[in-house]
Amino acid sequence: MYHLRRITVVAVIVGVVIFLATFLPRVLNPVPPSKEKQEADQRWINTSPHWLDRQACRWFSLCGLLHLKSDPPTKPKNKDDHGHELRHILGEDPAAFLRGGNSKKNQLKEIPDYVLTYAPLVHLYSQEFFWPSDIADHMNHVTPDIDDGDEWTLNETQPLTLSNLNELSSKLGFKHLRSKDDVESRPRWLHSKRNRPIPFPANDEGQVPESEPDQFLSDETTWFEVDRDHPLQRISDPRKLPGGFSQQRRPLARRSLVGPFREQQRLMNPFAQDAQNEPNKPDESGYSRAPATLVLVDKGSGVVDAFWFFFYAYNLGQTVLGTRYGNHVGDWEHCMIRFEAGIPRAVFFSEHEGGQAYAWHAVEKHGNETEIQRPVIYSAVGSHAMYATPGDHPYVLPFGILKDVTDRGPLWDPSRNLRGYWYDYAAAEDEGLEPVKENADAPTSWFHYNGTWGDKLYGLDDTRQWRLFGQYHYVTGPQGPKFKNLGREKVCQTWRCRIIHSIAEGKKGSWHS
């Protein structure tokens, strides 16, 4: 009887472990895997050379246990001598720009003044290890992951650049860009330390809005749900607005429109450091050598979405009980500001597989009431997920076990160094993107590349890889800006979208709730 009880207890424990191993991955991944993904997962498990590892992975969701080790952000005594290459204008040689640029310079559209007026400011984490990167520099450190039998003509004499990147996917289909270096050796280009922004004055911490909704900026229109197929509509009943609040117009501070083109040229000049910085002037500080990517999308009815994309060479995942998950090479984050008739209405913050949308009035602003008030974004350490507030941001797991962390670190002004484009989301494949007039020769090929900007998911035969309860140590790198639903009707990246009207309301949820 004693042994029977012991066997029963062991059987119950094993059953609970198997149940959790089956249930937890489904909870951590709210999107059910398709049949193709399930088959791909079986192939991935079979990459392990060890029978016991494969069985533990299948039955207990414990994969690569022998590979577990610490994964610090930096490695001591880094012998890599590849410094960060400084860009020529916007990252490549002039000939490459002419090949990839637009010769119809006089026909190109400019950046609307209001887009730069209300451009976001990003608080990078004070102890960040992986700073903003230049996508042109990234091309120097990755190589196409070519399969046997693929015919690829480009080589060292004609390297992969932003001007020819789409040739890779147009000729060979979906491909990955693989790091030339072992990322666990932490080569310098992953860190991009020289791209750390010039800081703003230390005593300038922005203006935090009240927790309750204040006076809105609205003509009571459907700005929150519009595209060319769904034109702007007026709402006669204010209760039909998101949140059910009656909205009233409130004046916005606006800077002078005199000479906007000259001002935009100054903002986009990487070497525009000629003026003495003045306190509380966000457009005079926060410069980074790594250009942001601005993609402007006209949704019709006077609505324009300004997508600000921020690229990092490496995403350092978060740790749970001392084990790190979610690393990947290449990291695209973005925010989007929706404008109606030049007036900002809402800001979207990308966070992991989703994000949150805030009404304009609810977002923290930089600058006092007499100045241009620009939205402030907080970038999480390692993952670079974007939030509306500093502090801890738990997600997926209960009790704050898994969380992003943000603070008031260096303030980055992406409007001071950018590549700008207009994009027609209704255009034919590999078409629709044009550089803005201010950088008419900027390359466009890279935008249509449909592969990933980082390594493919490492197999179980790679000692850097493990997977516990459905969470990988290394995941596949992301696709680029074109695949972030730029033609979206709603403010959010996905169909489920709730406009948040206060910081307090935003703290109650997260990107997946």
Side-chain angles (χ1 to χ4, degrees), residues 87 263 334 507:
R87 294 173 291 106
E263 183 175 33
H334 78 278
K507 290 181 177 180

Side-chain angles (χ1 to χ4, degrees), residues 251-266:
L252 284 171
R254 303 182 68 86
R255 69 181 172 196
S256 172
L257 298 181
V258 177
F261 180 78
R262 289 194 299 271
E263 183 175 33
Q264 292 163 8
Q265 290 281 44
R266 176 187 64 78

Side-chain angles (χ1 to χ4, degrees), residues 28 89 92 119 137 215 289 292 303 307 313 326 332 368 374 391 400 410:
L28 299 179
I89 305 180
E92 300 186 87
D137 180 50
Q215 303 246 320
R289 291 184 178 90
V303 173
F307 291 87
W332 282 103
N368 57 45
R374 297 170 59 180

Side-chain angles (χ1 to χ4, degrees), residues 253-386:
R254 303 182 68 86
R255 69 181 172 196
S256 172
L257 298 181
V258 177
F261 180 78
R262 289 194 299 271
E263 183 175 33
Q264 292 163 8
Q265 290 281 44
R266 176 187 64 78
L267 288 170
M268 298 178 65
N269 182 356
F271 306 103
Q273 305 287 338
D274 53 340
Q276 180 69 29
N277 290 349
E278 298 178 27
N280 303 325
K281 294 288 186 180
D283 60 330
E284 294 294 333
S285 296
Y287 171 84
S288 170
R289 291 184 178 90
T293 299
L294 172 63
V295 180
L296 300 168
V297 183
D298 187 348
K299 297 295 176 66
S301 303
V303 173
V304 172
D305 287 348
F307 291 87
W308 291 89
F309 285 94
F310 314 109
F311 183 77
Y312 305 82
Y314 193 68
N315 180 104
L316 183 70
Q318 307 300 352
T319 59
V320 176
L321 302 177
T323 304
R324 194 177 298 281
Y325 303 92
N327 294 349
H328 57 83
V329 177
D331 187 20
W332 282 103
E333 302 292 341
H334 78 278
C335 75
M336 183 266 276
I337 302 177
R338 174 160 290 183
F339 293 91
E340 180 195 354
I343 298 176
R345 297 302 191 190
V347 182
F348 174 76
F349 299 76
S350 70
E351 302 162 8
H352 302 285
E353 299 299 322
Q356 293 183 304
Y358 283 78
W360 177 262
H361 76 95
V363 180
E364 178 182 334
K365 308 298 192 306
H366 188 283
N368 57 45
E369 294 183 355
T370 63
E371 299 173 322
I372 298 298
Q373 294 192 340
R374 297 170 59 180
V376 176
I377 297 172
Y378 293 88
S379 176
V381 59
S383 74
H384 310 115
M386 318 207 85

